[in-house]
Amino acid sequence: MKIECIKNKLEEAISKTEKITGKNLTLPILKCILLIAKDNILTIRATNLDLGVEMSIPVKIKKEGVVAVPAGILYSFLTNLSNEKNVSLEVKENKLIVSTNHTETQIKTYPYEEFPTIPVVSDKKSININSNDLILGLKSVWYSASPSSMKPELSSIYIYYDSGKMVFVATDSFRLAEKKIFNRKIEEFDSVLIPHKNVSEIIRIFEATNGDIKINFSDNQISFSSNGTYLTSRIVDGTFPDYKQIIPKEHSSSATLLKQDTISAFKVSNIFSDKFNQVTVEINKKEKYFQITTKNPDVGENVYKIDSAITGESLEMSFNYKYINDCFQSITTDSVSFEMSKNKPMVIKGVGDPSFLYLVMSMNR
């Protein structure tokens, strides 16, 4: 193999694929990326067996070929090349020769025949969605999934179709986030569970993508493709909890606050929270304020009152600060509402935005 290409394009493609490579001691080939030079296109592949990605960039090919090379080594070398516009890659005697106008290096290669195949998902079941909508849906909920793999369905993002809406849901059983993307052009599809750790990579790789992303579904794989980038992920075989049963249909108290005031108040309160991140939230009907109280025997205590629009009765409950604070990244409106009822989850919404819903379970006091 012998090619010439623009250094920045190669570096950008490898930066996205390099993070997918596996750290498997028994399969050292997984730390490699596969470079395939054919028809003036360089295809770069990486996989950790749970997730696979393929990217293509235009290059000038002097000799077609295939090579497997450690991703980390190649990426580190490219990122430290300054003031270089073009780079040449050539395979000689089981080594990849990478050269520019000012430097040349040799990187040991691996047998490319050992590189695993990346699954190709059939397009018999497929939909198209705007890239911004997909990323918004995933980013709005993925932080609520469980980091533990003990219950795979809880460490996944649940995506399903509901009357012209693509719905994204995640829960770790302590809190739940739901985001609805309204698009009448979305065709009906079967619900899927995507592993939480794979979702972060999907966001990272496609976040800067413009235009539509094509999603293909099969029984055990899902793929995303757009503008020369193809990614496939394993689907979790499980049943997501019937979460709608726990969403309160009514509430006894509610408070409406400015979002930025609320974020600032919780940040101050967290300084004095205990090792369980406990904050006590009070809706005071008589005085028309929303109060946050934190106590830590080793630090001190704090009481923070925010002027609010209050409806219903006065109520006091305790929650985990982190779970409340996480949801503000998904609320785009200037005001936020807190709906509370005794012995029920607290519901947090952006005022005037029906697309996002967030539930937080109270803490036992």
Side-chain angles (χ1 to χ4, degrees), residues 140-152:
S140 295
V141 305
W142 77 285
Y143 53 83
S144 293
S146 172
S148 170
S149 58
M150 293 293 290
K151 293 183 177 181

Side-chain angles (χ1 to χ4, degrees), residues 282-284 287-291 305-308 310:
E282 179 189 351
I283 292 178
N284 190 303
E287 302 294 333
K288 297 290 183 182
Y289 62 71
F290 182 88
Q291 179 173 291
K305 296 179 180 179
I306 311 172
D307 292 335
S308 315
I310 305 293

Side-chain angles (χ1 to χ4, degrees), residues 273-326:
S273 62
D274 58 19
K275 62 181 179 180
F276 301 108
N277 296 318
Q278 179 171 303
V279 295
T280 299
V281 172
E282 179 189 351
I283 292 178
N284 190 303
K285 178 183 178 181
K286 183 178 180 181
E287 302 294 333
K288 297 290 183 182
Y289 62 71
F290 182 88
Q291 179 173 291
I292 306 166
T293 304
T294 47
K295 295 180 181 180
N296 187 322
D298 299 322
V299 179
E301 60 183 81
N302 175 259
V303 177
Y304 204 116
K305 296 179 180 179
I306 311 172
D307 292 335
S308 315
I310 305 293
T311 61
E313 61 189 31
S314 296
L315 189 62
E316 183 179 298
M317 299 174 71
S318 295
F319 301 91
N320 185 311
Y321 157 80
K322 181 182 182 300
Y323 294 156
I324 296 176
N325 191 61
D326 280 349

Side-chain angles (χ1 to χ4, degrees), residues 37 87 130 311:
V87 62
N130 181 272
T311 61

Side-chain angles (χ1 to χ4, degrees), residues 229-261:
T229 300
Y230 174 85
L231 181 146
T232 181
S233 166
R234 173 180 62 88
I235 287 177
V236 173
D237 182 16
T239 302
F240 197 76
D242 184 7
Y243 72 94
K244 292 184 179 180
Q245 290 186 346
I246 66 168
I247 299 176
K249 294 180 173 55
E250 55 186 24
H251 56 273
S252 60
S253 307
S254 74
T256 300
L257 308 79
L258 289 174
K259 186 181 79 168
Q260 201 54 52
D261 289 351

Side-chain angles (χ1 to χ4, degrees), residues 130-146:
N130 181 272
S131 59
N132 293 332
D133 287 344
L134 175 66
I135 299 304
L136 176 62
L138 293 173
K139 290 181 74 172
S140 295
V141 305
W142 77 285
Y143 53 83
S144 293
S146 172

Side-chain angles (χ1 to χ4, degrees), residues 54-244:
E54 177 179 297
M55 300 192 69
S56 300
I57 60 172
V59 297
K60 182 180 179 181
I61 296 180
K62 296 182 178 180
K63 183 180 179 181
E64 295 184 345
V66 183
V67 64
V69 61
I73 300 297
L74 179 57
Y75 180 60
S76 295
F77 176 72
L78 291 173
T79 55
N80 284 288
L81 295 178
S82 59
N83 302 320
E84 299 287 0
K85 183 178 180 181
N86 298 318
V87 62
S88 297
L89 279 66
E90 183 178 4
V91 177
K92 287 184 179 179
E93 298 178 353
N94 299 323
K95 291 184 175 64
L96 178 66
I97 313 299
V98 186
S99 58
T100 68
N101 290 333
H102 300 96
T103 185
E104 179 178 298
T105 191
Q106 298 182 8
I107 303 175
K108 179 185 174 183
T109 64
Y110 284 69
Y112 68 84
E113 299 88 354
E114 296 179 6
F115 196 86
T117 301
I118 293 178
V120 177
V121 182
S122 169
D123 61 359
K124 289 183 179 179
K125 298 179 180 179
S126 67
I127 63 170
N128 287 289
I129 182 173
N130 181 272
S131 59
N132 293 332
D133 287 344
L134 175 66
I135 299 304
L136 176 62
L138 293 173
K139 290 181 74 172
S140 295
V141 305
W142 77 285
Y143 53 83
S144 293
S146 172
S148 170
S149 58
M150 293 293 290
K151 293 183 177 181
E153 63 276 8
L154 296 186
S155 59
S156 303
I157 310 302
Y158 179 51
I159 306 175
Y160 68 95
Y161 176 87
D162 180 24
S163 303
K165 299 184 292 289
M166 194 171 187
V167 186
F168 301 77
V169 191
T171 181
D172 58 6
S173 76
F174 299 108
R175 35 78 179 276
L176 179 145
E178 178 196 69
K179 179 68 176 181
K180 297 176 181 178
I181 300 296
F182 299 88
N183 189 336
R184 293 293 177 185
K185 294 181 180 179
I186 295 178
E187 297 180 10
E188 188 170 357
F189 60 91
D190 294 334
S191 60
V192 291
L193 285 166
I194 305 176
H196 166 265
K197 61 182 180 179
N198 292 359
V199 167
S200 60
E201 295 299 333
I202 295 169
I203 293 171
R204 182 180 63 84
I205 288 175
F206 288 103
E207 191 165 17
T209 299
N210 294 316
D212 284 355
I213 293 176
K214 185 176 183 180
I215 305 177
N216 294 345
F217 303 86
S218 70
D219 292 338
N220 53 16
Q221 292 281 328
I222 184 171
S223 72
F224 304 82
S225 56
S226 177
N227 299 330
T229 300
Y230 174 85
L231 181 146
T232 181
S233 166
R234 173 180 62 88
I235 287 177
V236 173
D237 182 16
T239 302
F240 197 76
D242 184 7
Y243 72 94
K244 292 184 179 180

